Amino acid sequence: MENIYLYMIIALAFLAIADLVVGVSNDAVNFLNSAIGSKAISFKTIMIVASIGVAVGAVFSSGMMEVARKGIFNPGEFMFDEIMIIFMAVMITDILLLDFFNSVGMPTSTTVSIVFELLGAAVAMALIKIGADGGNFSDVINYINTSKASQIIFGILLSVVVAFTIGAVVQWVARVLLSYNFEKKAAWVGALFGGLALTAITYFIFMKGLKGTSYAKESFDILGGETMNNFLESQVLFITLVSLVFWSLLAYALIHYFKTNVYKLIIIVGTFALALAFAGNDLVNFIGVPIAAYNAYEAWSASFLSSGTLATDFSMEILAEKVPTNNWLLFGAGMIMVLTLWFSTKAKNVVKTSLDLSSQGETKERFQPNFLSRGFVRSAMLMSQMSEYILPKPWQDKIEKQFEAPVAKVSKDKAKELPAFDLVRAAVNLMVAAVLISIATSYKLPLSTTYVTFMVAMGTSLADRAWGAESAVYRVAGVINVIGGWFFTAFSAFTAAALVAYLLNLNIKVMFPILLLVAIALLIRSTVAHNKKSNEVKAEDSLKKTGSRSVQGVIHESAGNIANVVKRGNRIYSNAVKGLAKQDLTLLKKNKKQVDKLTAEVDELRDNIFYFIKNLDETSLRASSFYINILGYLQDMTQSLEYISKVSHKHINNNHKKLKFSQIKELKDVDNTLETLFNDTKAAFDSHSFEQIGEIIKRKKEVYDLVTDKIAKQVSRTRTEESSPKNTTLYFSLLLETKDLLTATMNLLDEYYNSHDASVKPATISVVDDVLQVGSKSDKDKKKKDN
């Protein structure tokens, strides 16, 4: 029996390393968001500053390890074998849960996850013990620290509301005082702002980064030979006042004499401070449980020396005592965190989610609106209208002037290199997050650094008008999704840890290796899937936005997109027919995902029409007409493919009767004809052979007649031999939608062929007429989407 626990300790050591990796990938957003978003300093400098902060914070974290031992449950109520089950269940659950959130790019709280995992596993073991002893459910309170769980839940609700509100208010005031031309303000204004921000961050370092550690309890000799105990913890007000004076004078000197940007200094110090606090306080979330398990194993093994026997019913009261953690172990954990910070692609993915939701400029919106986001946006608009009646007009005009953001005139290629927000917002993000977390720490409220930093960033984004009419409903939906994920973290962590603990308790020798292998397999599968998804975006698999300003340029640049759509459309149509023939639900499901991806890319191109037209020369209006028409036909093609894919999947998914052999054969005839047509079309656009396009157009009647003939045959069958209404409906739907697909394809070829001819031999054409022509298809578009 001793061996199984030794193996568990070894497994916990490896799980701790894995947990460090997935934990840092999740929490990197806490301290990298502001620096990366503002691009105040180079990415390499940001990573160096954050790495130093993480390394220093890890060494300072020894005093925080008590949470895993006695913060959530009463260790004296559990025996050694029960404690080991609890700790193993927690680590397996934590890795899988955090990795899931990292894979979808959503920031969550490692603190909440570890607390509720400890709570879930401990409750499960407590109920098992109570059931075996014939006790009552109310006896659980003897095993669990219920007040701590209540504080955590209260902390979640409080941090979400307070952080968002305070962030919004402080950012609004800062923008009104500093505007977007903050660098042109008087030196004393920047010095005062810099002094306040840096003081807040310094206060944060002492209150959150060092409080509770052995270093905070150091004593110093002062004048007169007296000794001041617990200097950093007892002299908070003195340190704050000295910091305010020091930082304000330093900021003034930097601005006035050295012409240095003090906002960059704020961001550097703030990034270091949050990284320090993250490692110093959150390291317990990753290695606290394995260290506690090792301490338990040591105590249990030591009992053998004194008694000569190894009993699993050895009480774990020793975990309630304070045990110092080896500094070399902390240093090693810090190095793993630093390496993860540099090399984790999932960390970059989580940071991107936060930056996209707070970006001042246009980004690809990841979240779809919902009724909650629409309701919040409408309420905000009503409140804004009310303020117009309350504030005098001169005040409104002055405030509006302060919020006028400078228009950056850069080429489309360099637009992605612009910062997501300016230095003032980045500084406010760091300053407000630092103050709120510091205050919570001083009152011993268990706030999550992830929740606070994320919600402050969202509040400052709202106040800074980053959520305009074009993006507000999407950004608010994103915030709601992230917050919903936080509550899902607590529920799933509690439930999953309790289930794993129950399974381990059934037969630890059997279930321990099985669950460990399952966890490792899921982790590997998640990593492989993430890497595969990251490598999926290849040049040939994605549509490109055109940047040309002339008709000829747009024609040639659009050729690649058309070839791409035709190639992928051909594959989607063939897979739909193949899936129906073989009744392959997996293939049809995959086909639906492919057509959804293609539809999203075409929609994104249409969303870019405004910027495309803005970029055109005044003499190139013909190019806009051509581009709008082409996108309209591409959208018609994708809608037809989407409908064909959807009805095929629905038919097989509902287990309806298989299509008859004659129907499958006819569909394959149509598929073969379409495949030839699409392959020739792709070849023509790949080679820019416009004469070949003309030859393809001449085959229009031949292809139409083939589909019409198949429809006529099905009509005849329906009158004489067909007995399945579902099959008849599906078959007619496929053929009619194929005709629509052909119509859209031929219209696109006509448009392309005629426009190329007109661009070589200029002809006059009404832009408005062309746009109206595309708009006339809107009834069909609406019908397709409704279906």
Side-chain angles (χ1 to χ4, degrees):
M1 193 67 180
E2 180 183 5
N3 287 338
I4 188 68
Y5 294 115
L6 178 60
Y7 294 147
M8 289 178 77
I9 291 296
I10 295 170
L12 283 170
F14 284 103
L15 289 174
I17 295 172
D19 206 28
L20 278 169
V21 173
V22 295
V24 174
S25 297
N26 176 83
D27 281 4
V29 66
N30 297 349
F31 48 89
L32 295 180
N33 178 54
S34 296
I36 293 177
S38 64
K39 297 194 174 179
I41 49 180
S42 69
F43 181 76
K44 186 177 180 180
T45 305
I46 293 169
M47 295 300 287
I48 291 172
V49 170
S51 299
I52 295 171
V54 167
V56 174
V59 177
F60 284 170
S61 65
S62 176
M64 305 302 292
M65 294 296 164
E66 307 303 315
V67 176
R69 295 189 184 98
K70 58 183 179 181
I72 306 302
F73 56 84
N74 301 318
E77 299 292 331
F78 295 97
M79 299 298 111
F80 171 70
D81 56 336
E82 296 161 350
I83 282 288
M84 292 300 293
I85 288 174
I86 290 173
F87 288 155
M88 181 57 69
V90 167
M91 290 304 294
I92 290 175
T93 305
D94 198 54
I95 289 174
L96 296 178
L97 185 65
L98 291 181
D99 187 68
F100 166 75
F101 275 94
N102 295 341
S103 298
V104 297
M106 300 276 275
T108 191
S109 171
T110 52
T111 303
V112 170
S113 64
I114 200 75
V115 165
F116 276 89
E117 284 153 5
L118 283 166
L119 187 62
V123 166
M125 286 307 304
L127 290 176
I128 290 170
K129 284 172 66 73
I130 291 168
D133 296 340
N136 297 320
F137 181 79
S138 58
D139 294 337
V140 170
I141 198 168
N142 298 325
Y143 297 86
I144 308 300
N145 190 344
T146 52
S147 62
K148 191 72 173 180
S150 303
Q151 280 187 329
I152 290 288
I153 296 170
F154 175 73
I156 293 173
L157 297 172
L158 187 68
S159 63
V160 168
V161 177
V162 172
F164 184 85
T165 306
I166 299 297
V169 171
V170 174
Q171 177 60 34
W172 188 86
V173 172
R175 186 63 71 195
V176 169
L177 294 176
L178 296 172
S179 79
Y180 279 94
N181 296 317
F182 53 91
E183 292 179 348
K184 297 180 181 178
K185 295 289 182 181
W188 69 269
V189 176
L192 182 60
F193 181 85
L196 288 170
L198 290 168
T199 300
I201 293 167
T202 303
Y203 177 71
F204 172 77
I205 291 174
F206 290 126
M207 287 300 299
K208 182 67 174 171
L210 301 180
K211 187 178 176 67
T213 69
S214 57
Y215 299 90
K217 302 183 183 300
E218 291 291 335
S219 301
F220 293 93
D221 292 330
I222 57 176
L223 294 176
E226 296 182 15
T227 300
M228 185 171 289
N229 297 319
N230 301 335
F231 180 77
L232 294 182
E233 293 186 349
S234 62
Q235 299 299 315
V236 174
L237 181 60
F238 173 75
I239 293 171
T240 303
L241 292 175
V242 171
S243 296
L244 180 60
V245 175
F246 172 77
W247 286 120
S248 298
L249 291 175
L250 179 62
Y252 184 83
L254 290 173
I255 296 170
H256 187 70
Y257 297 107
F258 298 98
K259 308 301 179 186
T260 303
N261 191 325
V262 72
Y263 299 94
K264 291 185 178 182
L265 177 62
I266 296 170
I267 292 166
I268 290 172
V269 176
T271 300
F272 171 82
L274 284 176
L276 171 77
F278 152 71
N281 292 267
D282 290 358
L283 186 60
V284 63
N285 301 340
F286 315 131
I287 67 170
V289 167
I291 288 175
Y294 179 68
N295 292 338
Y297 181 78
E298 276 190 319
W300 178 65
S301 300
S303 70
F304 169 73
L305 298 176
S306 58
S307 63
T309 58
L310 281 172
T312 55
D313 58 353
F314 178 69
S315 176
M316 285 288 99
E317 289 181 4
I318 191 170
L319 291 183
E321 300 174 9
K322 188 173 181 63
V323 182
T325 307
N326 186 291
N327 284 332
W328 285 108
L329 181 62
L330 296 175
F331 178 77
M335 290 303 99
I336 294 172
M337 296 165 82
V338 169
L339 290 173
T340 303
L341 201 60
W342 280 88
F343 297 109
S344 172
T345 56
K346 291 184 179 181
K348 297 179 178 66
N349 195 24
V350 178
V351 171
K352 186 177 184 301
T353 298
S354 181
L355 292 181
D356 285 348
L357 291 174
S358 58
S359 175
Q360 194 77 29
E362 292 293 327
T363 62
K364 182 179 179 181
E365 303 297 348
R366 288 182 50 187
F367 300 93
Q368 293 302 312
N370 51 50
F371 75 96
L372 283 174
S373 68
R374 294 187 184 101
F376 282 132
V377 171
R378 288 193 189 100
S379 301
M381 291 172 68
L382 288 173
M383 291 173 64
S384 177
Q385 291 172 3
M386 288 174 59
S387 67
E388 293 179 3
Y389 294 104
I390 297 172
L391 292 176
K393 189 69 168 61
W395 288 21
Q396 292 181 35
D397 294 339
K398 190 171 181 63
I399 291 172
E400 286 296 322
K401 189 176 180 181
Q402 297 296 88
F403 280 88
E404 287 179 2
V407 180
K409 295 182 180 180
V410 295
S411 65
K412 180 174 286 189
D413 294 336
K414 293 187 177 180
K416 292 182 179 179
E417 298 176 10
L418 291 174
F421 39 79
D422 70 351
L423 302 181
V424 170
R425 176 131 65 99
V428 171
N429 283 344
L430 293 166
M431 174 176 63
V432 174
V435 169
L436 290 178
I437 297 171
S438 301
I439 292 173
T441 300
S442 65
Y443 284 100
K444 298 185 179 180
L445 289 175
L447 282 186
S448 163
T449 53
T450 302
Y451 294 174
V452 171
T453 52
F454 180 83
M455 291 310 298
V456 166
M458 296 304 102
T460 57
S461 303
L462 174 67
D464 222 17
R465 303 185 182 181
W467 299 354
E470 303 290 332
S471 61
V473 72
Y474 303 99
R475 304 281 177 89
V476 173
V479 174
I480 292 171
N481 273 289
V482 172
I483 294 174
W486 295 346
F487 288 96
F488 172 75
T489 300
F491 173 77
S492 55
F494 182 93
T495 308
L499 177 62
V500 173
Y502 171 76
L503 293 174
L504 286 171
N505 185 70
L506 291 177
N507 189 327
I508 193 168
K509 288 185 177 180
V510 175
M511 296 308 299
F512 161 59
I514 291 176
L515 289 173
L516 190 62
L517 288 174
V518 168
I520 293 171
L522 289 174
L523 202 59
I524 293 172
R525 180 177 175 272
S526 169
T527 304
V528 170
H530 176 76
N531 293 336
K532 183 180 177 182
K533 186 177 179 181
S534 300
N535 296 330
E536 260 182 3
V537 185
K538 298 178 182 177
E540 63 175 11
D541 289 333
S542 58
L543 304 183
K544 296 181 177 65
K545 297 176 184 177
T546 182
S548 245
R549 300 189 174 193
S550 65
V551 181
Q552 280 282 32
V554 174
I555 287 173
H556 283 279
E557 286 189 18
S558 298
N561 282 344
I562 294 169
N564 192 327
V565 172
V566 168
K567 169 193 165 187
R568 293 160 70 180
N570 184 18
R571 185 169 63 240
I572 290 166
Y573 191 92
S574 295
N575 285 341
V577 174
K578 191 183 297 181
L580 284 171
K582 296 182 177 181
Q583 290 188 298
D584 189 340
L585 187 61
T586 304
L587 177 62
L588 292 173
K589 187 176 181 180
K590 183 179 179 182
N591 209 38
K592 274 188 69 180
K593 290 182 179 179
Q594 291 176 345
V595 77
D596 287 343
K597 184 174 183 292
L598 180 60
T599 301
E601 289 179 27
V602 173
D603 288 344
E604 189 178 350
L605 289 181
R606 292 205 72 171
D607 291 341
N608 193 57
I609 284 177
F610 171 82
Y611 304 100
F612 164 74
I613 294 175
K614 281 279 190 183
N615 196 45
L616 284 174
D617 293 332
E618 291 183 6
T619 57
S620 300
L621 291 178
R622 168 66 187 151
S624 65
S625 169
F626 167 77
Y627 191 60
I628 291 169
N629 284 344
I630 288 297
L631 290 182
Y633 295 131
L634 287 178
Q635 190 170 48
D636 282 350
M637 290 173 67
T638 56
Q639 286 177 346
S640 292
L641 291 167
E642 189 175 14
Y643 183 79
I644 289 168
S645 176
K646 186 180 75 172
V647 295
S648 302
H649 176 268
K650 180 180 177 182
H651 187 86
I652 301 301
N653 197 34
N654 288 340
N655 300 307
H656 293 317
K657 287 177 66 176
K658 184 179 179 180
L659 291 177
K660 292 186 175 181
F661 177 78
S662 57
Q663 292 173 320
I664 294 294
K665 185 176 181 301
E666 289 172 6
L667 280 177
K668 286 188 174 179
D669 288 341
V670 174
D671 180 33
N672 291 334
T673 304
L674 277 179
E675 186 170 3
T676 302
L677 177 73
F678 284 155
N679 285 338
D680 292 345
T681 302
K682 180 182 181 300
F685 281 102
D686 281 339
S687 62
H688 291 202
S689 174
F690 301 104
E691 293 76 13
Q692 193 176 343
I693 292 174
E695 294 300 318
I696 296 170
I697 293 172
K698 291 177 183 177
R699 289 153 50 190
K700 181 193 298 187
K701 186 175 185 304
E702 174 192 340
V703 183
Y704 272 115
D705 288 346
L706 175 67
V707 179
T708 304
D709 178 60
K710 304 302 181 189
I711 293 174
K713 286 184 178 180
Q714 178 62 24
V715 170
S716 176
R717 277 196 298 267
T718 304
R719 292 174 60 84
T720 57
E721 59 186 77
E722 185 64 73
S723 60
S724 172
K726 295 292 184 185
N727 278 15
T728 301
T729 302
L730 172 67
Y731 193 70
F732 277 131
S733 296
L734 292 173
L735 291 178
L736 290 172
E737 206 60 44
T738 301
K739 285 189 73 173
D740 284 350
L741 175 62
L742 283 169
T743 301
T745 305
M746 290 302 176
N747 286 342
L748 184 146
L749 293 173
D750 283 333
E751 176 72 26
Y752 209 93
Y753 187 74
N754 295 333
S755 294
H756 174 261
D757 189 53
S759 68
V760 177
K761 301 174 183 178
T764 57
I765 186 166
S766 167
V767 176
V768 176
D769 287 347
D770 278 351
V771 176
L772 290 176
Q773 181 184 352
V774 177
S776 68
K777 301 193 296 297
S778 61
D779 291 339
K780 174 190 170 187
D781 293 351
K782 185 176 185 302
K783 180 181 177 183
K784 293 269 180 67
K785 287 178 180 176
D786 289 343
N787 287 334

